[in-house]
Amino acid sequence: SDDNRINNPNVNPISFSINLNTNFPEYSQLQFPGNAIYVANAGIRGVFVINTGSSIRAWEATDPNHVPNACSTMNLNGVEATCSCEDNTYTLYTGQDTSQELSYTLIEYRVSQNENNIIISN
């Protein structure tokens, strides 16, 4: 369901599409389950992309539980994303915060894959 993404008052949706080719070194980690990368210059504050083992998932890199600002871009730490200004931590497998106490989950983007190409859009 897109309800949490659409009804989140903190983050306005934007339109974009990016194409990642896993043959390129900066994206090659996505060929292996359990690896995640940060892609700058996409989405609002960048995009986190993870190979979960069963699929590729992509998430907005701004903390969904406050309005985007100078410190709202989260840091990638393995398979988790952490916001330094709110100390919120989210798992990239589900988008849920690790404390399971916050109002909003990570904003997920659509992903399609064709061989080595991963297309992320909203």
Side-chain angles (χ1 to χ4, degrees), residues 39-61:
V39 180
N41 303 318
I44 298 167
R45 295 273 191 230
V47 176
F48 295 119
V49 184
I50 184 171
N51 180 340
T52 66
S54 60
S55 65
I56 301 289
R57 297 186 85 174
W59 309 96
E60 173 55 47

Side-chain angles (χ1 to χ4, degrees), residues 1-2 5 8 11 13 15 20 25-27 32 38 42 49 52 62 70 72 83-84 91 100 102 113 115:
S1 167
D2 283 348
R5 178 170 56 131
N8 185 329
V11 183
S15 180
L20 310 179
E26 61 268 32
Y27 308 128
F32 307 101
Y38 170 73
V49 184
T52 66
T62 194
S72 68
C83 180
S84 61
T91 174
Q100 297 187 0
L102 299 174
Q113 189 171 4
E115 296 182 17

